Amino acid sequence: MASRRTFLQSSAAGLAGLAAAPLAAAALPPVPAAGKPVVISTWDAGVNANKGAWKILGAGGYALDAVEAGVMVTEAEQGCCVGLGGNPDRDGIVTLDACIMDEKFNCGGVAALERIKHPVSVARRVMERTPHVLLVGEGAQQFAVAQGFPLEPQRLSVDAEKAYKEWLKTSLYKPVVNIENTGNRPTGPVGGPQNHDTIAMLALDAQGRLSGSCTTSGMGFKMRGRVGDSPLIGSGLFVDPAVGAAAATGQGEDVVRMAGAHTVVELMRQGRSPQAACREAVERIAAIKGAKAKDIQVAFIAINTQGQTGSFALQKGFNFTVSTSATPVLRDSEFLLK
Ligand code: SD4
């Protein structure tokens, strides 16, 4: 918490000019050779997730299978912000949001899903086996069970229970910027296995097919029934096979209000690189939020049809993982507020 206070002080000072650092060439992510696959995902949970995705991509497999399998790794890791180990809502219940999209505008999502370990796989079933794109709450759970997903016990992980009890002392809803990487879990180190985040993943496979996925437990201690950007096609994730794909993490409300991922893809359609498109979308959020921008984090990742990737964040502290081989590369993102 001390570092967050220091950070907020320094970012408040930097907000006035909304100055951004020039893009350091060394920070640019690797680009795959023509016809080679690439996968990019949010935060350092992406290191393990990308390895899961690479088992499929590296063997010439389908991007859609890769983005599902990749984020399932994070869902199973039981960190703070993805899967059933996530922080609960203010009633003490973990509710999960996820979506998935392929290279043909097929898409599916689930929101406010309870007691299901792999919401991204339920999202894929919504896409493949229903006439709909989004199922929520009880209906999503009924569908998952009918599809053979086991109903897990209704209980908090040890860390989530501790975090919830701590939260109950004040019951104030104050999302912590970069909570995904701030060592917020009592039993886990910063960036360690207990600190997982919303994970969004974008992949281009060897056949040039693009897909994306996104999965989260959402903002901890949210109102019961709150849904963020992550399961919403066009906000948390968007894929356009002619242009590229984008995904978001951070304060979902502020991604939804400007249709974040879709905006990034449209900016790429107008000729921006993935990095420049992510940056412009973040600048738009900063302009909308004004002085309140310093209180939130939002970050985008993007990929284009040539396999170039990029990211940009509002605040310091966001990182992302790119793989053009079996060895993932973790990068600190460029950011706006200095
Ligand atoms: C949400 N965008 O529910 C998610 C939160 C997030 O890492 O990205 N956390 O608003």
Side-chain angles (χ1 to χ4, degrees):
M1 292 311 277
S3 64
R4 172 173 153 76
R5 265 197 301 278
T6 320
F7 171 66
L8 286 179
Q9 279 155 7
S10 59
S11 62
L15 184 68
L18 288 183
L23 215 55
L28 287 174
V31 179
K36 297 281 188 214
V38 57
V39 57
I40 178 170
S41 53
T42 52
W43 304 103
D44 52 5
V47 171
N48 288 342
N50 279 16
K51 286 180 188 163
W54 197 263
K55 286 185 191 153
I56 293 166
L57 288 176
Y62 184 18
L64 186 71
D65 294 331
V67 296
E68 179 187 5
V71 303
M72 283 173 74
V73 172
T74 318
E75 287 178 341
E77 276 174 342
Q78 301 270 300
C80 88
C81 317
V82 176
L84 290 173
N87 286 338
D89 66 16
R90 60 186 59 179
D91 289 7
I93 298 165
V94 177
T95 66
L96 305 176
D97 296 342
C99 72
I100 194 160
M101 188 163 187
D102 73 8
E103 80 289 1
K104 294 177 184 148
F105 295 98
N106 296 310
C107 50
V110 287
L113 177 63
E114 294 172 19
R115 300 178 55 189
I116 299 289
K117 190 172 178 187
H118 288 299
V120 72
S121 301
V122 185
R124 183 166 177 178
R125 297 285 177 91
V126 171
M127 173 175 109
E128 291 177 340
R129 301 193 185 174
T130 80
H132 307 304
V133 295
L134 184 61
L135 293 181
V136 306
E138 212 184 313
Q141 191 189 69
Q142 275 170 12
F143 171 72
V145 170
Q147 289 291 313
F149 291 87
L151 205 50
E152 306 291 337
Q154 174 83 70
R155 66 163 173 255
L156 296 180
S157 68
V158 173
D159 280 331
E161 175 113 37
K162 275 189 194 155
Y164 182 54
K165 283 190 175 145
E166 198 53 39
W167 177 79
L168 283 173
K169 290 180 187 165
T170 61
S171 300
L172 287 177
Y173 182 64
K174 277 195 171 175
V176 178
V177 168
N178 297 326
I179 189 170
E180 298 87 345
N181 259 342
T182 48
N184 60 311
R185 282 312 178 85
T187 61
V190 173
Q194 300 302 314
N195 280 108
H196 286 313
D197 1 292
T198 290
I199 186 155
M201 176 177 278
L202 310 170
L204 179 70
D205 67 26
Q207 293 182 43
R209 294 171 297 194
L210 276 170
S211 293
S213 61
C214 189
T215 178
T216 189
S217 53
M219 306 306 282
F221 321 121
K222 60 194 173 186
M223 286 176 69
R224 181 123 181 92
R226 179 266 189 188
V227 172
D229 58 321
S230 305
L232 303 181
I233 298 298
S235 290
L237 174 70
F238 194 66
V239 180
D240 184 326
V243 177
T249 182
Q251 183 69 47
E253 284 76 3
D254 293 305
V255 175
V256 172
R257 74 177 88 252
M258 47 76 75
H262 184 260
T263 296
V264 173
V265 170
E266 288 308 303
L267 289 165
M268 289 194 286
R269 193 193 308 281
Q270 292 165 27
R272 306 312 186 271
S273 67
Q275 183 89 10
C278 290
R279 180 180 177 141
E280 206 169 316
V282 166
E283 285 170 348
R284 207 173 285 187
I285 292 174
I288 292 167
K289 297 296 285 183
K292 289 186 180 156
K294 68 182 191 314
D295 301 329
I296 61 159
Q297 173 66 300
V298 171
F300 293 105
I301 55 171
I303 183 170
N304 65 16
T305 49
Q306 288 88 56
Q308 293 170 315
T309 54
S311 91
F312 204 79
L314 186 57
Q315 311 259 11
K316 187 175 180 176
F318 172 63
N319 54 17
F320 63 102
T321 311
V322 178
S323 299
T324 53
S325 72
T327 310
V329 177
L330 180 64
R331 292 262 190 245
D332 285 331
S333 179
E334 296 290 315
F335 56 97
L336 189 66
L337 302 182
K338 301 294 170 186

